[in-house]
Amino acid sequence: MTSADLNPDPRTDPRSDSLADAAYGMIRNRILDGVLGVGAPVSVLGLATDLEMSRSPVRYAVERLLSERLLRRVAGTIAVAAPDRYELLDSLAVRTQLEALAARLAAPRIDERTLEELVIVHDRFRSAVDNGDQDGARRADSDFHHAIQELAGNECLAESLERVRTQVILGAYSTAWVTSRGPAVLEHERVLRALEDQDGQAAEAAMIRHLDNLTTRITREWRAQDTAEDATTKRRSTPRAPGGGR
């Protein structure tokens, strides 16, 4: 399962209601897949040309993405949003509680087929981690959580989660943090075991632990980055000895 599976090409998807929805889906996928990088300027004309569409549906899609904070107006232009650290932490705090609820609701609904699908996604995640494929790991991780969200069977929860997860994905791109994915593999396995047992409370607890640990890993990486930057700044600002001796 890939982001394309979860968000099929609206131009060929019979469920798509209009060209505007098609434009929205394709632009959104490009943002979440990192094709349109954070901070990258976008224009209705440029997107319409790339998508081989007229400007009207693309303009609608851009306005919708602005309302969802995937795009932002910056100095008179429109660009892919670049959430800062505080915005990412806020999104993670909300996401933790929503995903925990999704895991609890999903547990009694899981069956042999859906469990097998989750295992396949998890195996793809583990393989990407083992091979150092950061983009592949990011996509598989997103697919794993999205599958649980869908399995929960709660439309209101899914809508709320979809919005907050997009902010987390953008934050991950924009802050350039690099954390060990190894622990996340084990944490996913704990969630899987709880779902296999159809134990809602255990699935909820495992998901909270996973996302709390993720937040800890992110903030630890930020501290390391800040320490390194402070040390570099200090070295650059330290006066040289008279005569510039070595």
Side-chain angles (χ1 to χ4, degrees):
M1 187 181 299
T2 66
S3 59
D5 297 323
L6 298 172
N7 300 289
D9 186 342
R11 290 176 299 185
T12 58
D13 182 5
R15 295 170 297 178
S16 184
D17 295 329
S18 67
L19 285 175
D21 290 335
Y24 166 80
M26 287 185 286
I27 298 169
R28 183 177 184 275
N29 284 346
R30 291 187 179 196
I31 293 172
L32 296 183
D33 286 342
V35 176
L36 289 173
V38 293
V42 299
S43 70
V44 171
L45 177 59
L47 289 171
T49 301
D50 289 343
L51 299 177
E52 299 180 345
M53 296 178 119
S54 65
R55 297 185 194 182
S56 293
V58 172
R59 185 176 294 109
Y60 168 85
V62 166
E63 290 298 328
R64 184 173 172 185
L65 290 164
L66 282 166
S67 71
E68 294 180 359
R69 297 170 58 201
L70 286 177
L71 297 177
R72 290 183 181 175
R73 298 187 188 277
V74 181
T77 64
I78 298 175
V80 178
D84 62 26
R85 292 182 179 185
Y86 294 108
E87 289 174 311
L88 176 55
L89 289 177
D90 286 347
S91 296
L92 279 168
V94 175
R95 179 192 174 191
T96 297
Q97 297 305 313
L98 293 178
E99 293 229 23
L101 175 58
R104 178 160 61 85
L105 294 177
R109 295 169 57 89
I110 200 162
D111 55 25
E112 185 175 341
R113 180 183 63 81
T114 52
L115 179 63
E116 182 179 352
E117 291 173 352
L118 270 175
V119 169
I120 290 172
V121 174
H122 173 66
D123 287 345
R124 183 157 51 84
F125 176 58
R126 180 174 54 198
S127 177
V129 171
D130 290 343
N131 293 322
D133 179 3
Q134 185 168 330
D135 289 339
R138 192 194 307 273
R139 287 191 294 270
D141 178 67
S142 178
D143 292 347
F144 181 82
H145 287 273
H146 190 279
I148 294 173
Q149 166 190 316
E150 291 298 302
L151 184 59
N154 186 303
E155 187 174 344
C156 181
L157 174 61
E159 182 178 338
S160 299
L161 250 177
E162 197 63 36
R163 177 168 296 208
V164 75
R165 283 176 65 245
T166 59
Q167 295 301 311
V168 172
I169 291 171
L170 282 182
Y173 282 130
S174 63
T175 53
W177 50 268
V178 179
T179 59
S180 171
R181 294 287 184 173
V185 172
L186 298 176
E187 290 158 11
H188 278 197
E189 289 174 356
R190 294 189 187 102
V191 174
L192 268 175
R193 285 197 296 271
L195 291 173
E196 183 177 13
D197 293 339
Q198 294 188 314
D199 187 335
Q201 289 186 337
E204 180 179 42
M207 187 64 77
I208 289 175
R209 182 178 179 184
H210 167 45
L211 293 175
D212 280 348
N213 287 345
L214 171 62
T215 302
T216 298
R217 290 192 288 269
I218 292 171
T219 53
R220 184 185 299 130
E221 180 64 27
W222 284 340
R223 285 195 296 270
Q225 291 175 359
D226 291 344
T227 299
E229 289 173 4
D230 288 345
T232 299
T233 301
K234 185 176 181 180
R235 284 196 300 271
R236 289 175 178 172
S237 63
T238 301
R240 292 187 177 183
R246 295 182 179 177

